[in-house]
Amino acid sequence: MQQNKRIVWVDIAKGIGILLVLIGHISQNPYISSFIYCFHMPLFFIISGYLYKDKPQYIRKKMKTILLPYLFFAIISFVYWYFIERNIRGQTVNPINIFLNIWLARGGNDNYIFNVALWFLPCLLKVEIVFHSLIKRIKSIKHLSVVMFIFSILGYAYAKLDLIRLPFCIDVALTAIVFYFFGYCWKNKLESNFIKFNKIRKSILFCICLLVTIILSQLITSIDMNNLQYPFYIFLYILPIFGFLIIYIISTSIKQNKILQYLGTNTLIIMGVHEPIKRALIEIIHRILNISIEMLRKNFLGIIFVTIILTLICIPIIFIIKRYLPFLIGRKKEKEYVNY
């Protein structure tokens, strides 16, 4: 069976995206965090939508490549948190409720206290399933756009009403599927027109998107999808699109970058393991080097230093899982293409 050909700019974009995730989770610098949180998680939903392909047994494959890794990383993270970190940090939350949420998959930092990054996987699976069902029944992009608009209103309203968190991140998926749809449209409708832009027009667009995103990120509420914290409706969708265009232009301008491509092909593993490691790493650096945690998490150089060390720690974990335990992340062969 022929392997799917990897798309270089996608791998680079995912590599940049996962670095933004690491920095976003390390940083307590309000300027850095506000900018990153404008688009970093919507970026992954957009890319996933770009990679959507209507194939036989689509849902079955997604259950294997998303749900199985989710359960693997969730259980490992929970065991570590329960037996080690919970006691060290003196956390008094009910571990039974936390364990049950692995299966309920309700979003929110409190529900994923053992590994906050994992909300993304059940949310993505829900988006994949719903979108695949819709695309089977609604062939017109215009009609599908109407459905997405309804989803966007429902997702925004539910977040603002501050209701109970829904299982399997359904409340987040109402918004996430709109970003996914944009990625699908970008590939099938919009990208061909954008490619025709010359370098000057792309440069002007890049500068406009970057400038607007930087300014607005300091003026409005950031986009925290996991906790349903959204800015004003129009900014909820404009900023991620601008952020995507920034990353797209950068990624398509870079012909090849082995580091970013490597990180981009392994975002699943990095996303699954980095959060518990990050917490331990910051504490270890703080104690060994006698550098304050505030310095590590608020100072730009401190954030970059922790990000580099965290990335390097993830590399041997990636090797071990892909070499010896690939079935735990739904893979059979190392080169198999997985669209997240």
Side-chain angles (χ1 to χ4, degrees):
M1 183 175 178
Q2 186 177 3
Q3 296 288 342
N4 292 320
K5 185 178 180 181
R6 302 198 69 90
I7 304 171
V8 174
W9 81 260
V10 168
D11 285 338
I12 293 175
K14 287 167 61 183
I16 296 172
I18 199 63
L19 286 176
L20 292 176
V21 169
L22 299 186
I23 293 171
H25 286 173
I26 292 167
S27 171
Q28 291 182 347
N29 182 307
Y31 300 105
I32 295 173
S33 299
S34 295
F35 176 75
I36 290 174
Y37 271 79
C38 277
F39 64 89
H40 76 314
M41 292 315 299
L43 173 67
F44 282 97
F45 287 108
I46 292 172
I47 292 175
S48 295
Y50 182 92
L51 296 171
Y52 171 81
K53 291 181 179 180
D54 185 6
K55 291 184 175 181
Q57 297 185 325
Y58 182 83
I59 301 303
R60 182 178 178 182
K61 178 184 177 183
K62 291 302 167 185
M63 296 291 286
K64 178 183 177 183
T65 58
I66 299 179
L67 184 59
L68 182 60
Y70 165 74
L71 293 175
F72 167 62
F73 291 125
I75 292 171
I76 291 295
S77 300
F78 177 83
V79 170
Y80 162 75
W81 171 81
Y82 181 80
F83 287 104
I84 300 176
E85 189 173 357
R86 179 175 66 103
N87 300 313
I88 294 175
R89 298 173 68 184
Q91 294 172 323
T92 57
V93 295
N94 188 337
I96 296 176
N97 292 336
I98 300 300
F99 180 75
L100 289 176
N101 195 64
I102 293 176
W103 316 98
L104 293 174
R106 296 167 300 177
N109 288 352
D110 292 339
N111 290 323
Y112 279 102
I113 194 170
F114 57 93
N115 192 337
V116 70
L118 291 182
W119 70 270
F120 173 77
L121 293 177
C123 184
L124 176 61
L125 180 59
K126 177 60 65 176
V127 168
E128 296 269 15
I129 291 172
V130 173
F131 188 83
H132 182 68
S133 300
L134 288 172
I135 210 75
K136 287 286 189 180
R137 294 166 174 80
I138 305 174
K139 302 300 181 181
S140 169
I141 293 292
K142 291 183 179 179
H143 294 162
L144 201 55
S145 299
V146 174
V147 175
M148 293 301 142
F149 176 71
I150 294 172
F151 279 147
S152 72
I153 297 296
L154 291 175
Y156 187 78
Y158 197 90
K160 293 304 178 181
L161 289 173
D162 194 24
L163 302 173
I164 62 170
R165 300 308 304 265
L166 299 178
F168 236 66
C169 292
I170 294 172
D171 42 11
V172 190
L174 288 168
T175 300
I177 196 171
V178 182
F179 298 128
Y180 189 96
F181 174 65
F182 175 78
Y184 176 81
C185 290
W186 183 261
K187 180 179 182 179
N188 294 282
K189 295 289 183 181
L190 304 174
E191 187 178 34
S192 58
N193 293 324
F194 185 83
I195 290 174
K196 298 176 183 177
F197 284 15
N198 57 37
K199 289 184 178 181
I200 296 176
R201 293 178 68 183
K202 288 182 180 178
S203 298
I204 293 173
L205 180 62
F206 174 83
C207 292
I208 292 173
C209 289
L210 182 60
L211 183 62
V212 171
T213 303
I214 290 174
I215 293 173
L216 289 180
S217 69
Q218 307 307 314
L219 299 176
I220 65 174
T221 304
S222 296
I223 300 172
D224 185 348
M225 298 182 70
N226 182 33
N227 293 299
L228 295 181
Q229 295 177 359
Y230 300 149
F232 186 67
Y233 176 82
I234 191 169
F235 296 128
L236 172 59
Y237 294 101
I238 286 179
L239 285 175
I241 290 174
F242 280 11
F244 167 74
L245 290 174
I246 292 169
I247 302 302
Y248 179 85
I249 292 171
I250 292 174
S251 302
T252 52
S253 299
I254 300 173
K255 301 301 181 182
Q256 189 175 16
N257 185 298
K258 291 184 178 180
I259 295 175
L260 290 176
Q261 287 175 260
Y262 177 81
L263 296 177
T265 58
N266 295 291
T267 54
L268 173 63
I269 299 174
I270 298 172
M271 190 169 291
V273 304
H274 82 273
E275 180 61 24
I277 296 173
K278 176 213 78 177
R279 297 194 295 267
L281 177 63
I282 290 174
E283 186 64 27
I284 291 170
I285 294 175
H286 160 63
R287 291 178 180 273
I288 292 178
L289 300 182
N290 196 27
I291 301 175
S292 70
I293 292 177
E294 183 179 11
M295 175 77 71
L296 290 172
R297 304 195 71 172
K298 289 189 176 181
N299 181 275
F300 177 76
L301 292 179
I303 293 168
I304 297 302
F305 175 69
V306 177
T307 302
I308 292 172
I309 301 301
L310 180 57
T311 304
L312 292 174
I313 292 173
C314 287
I315 291 175
I317 297 174
I318 291 169
F319 175 80
I320 292 170
I321 291 177
K322 293 180 71 174
R323 182 70 178 268
Y324 302 106
L325 304 167
F327 60 92
L328 292 175
I329 56 172
R331 297 186 184 183
K332 292 182 179 180
K333 297 180 180 180
E334 188 169 329
K335 293 183 179 180
E336 184 177 350
Y337 200 97
V338 183
N339 67 336
Y340 41 77

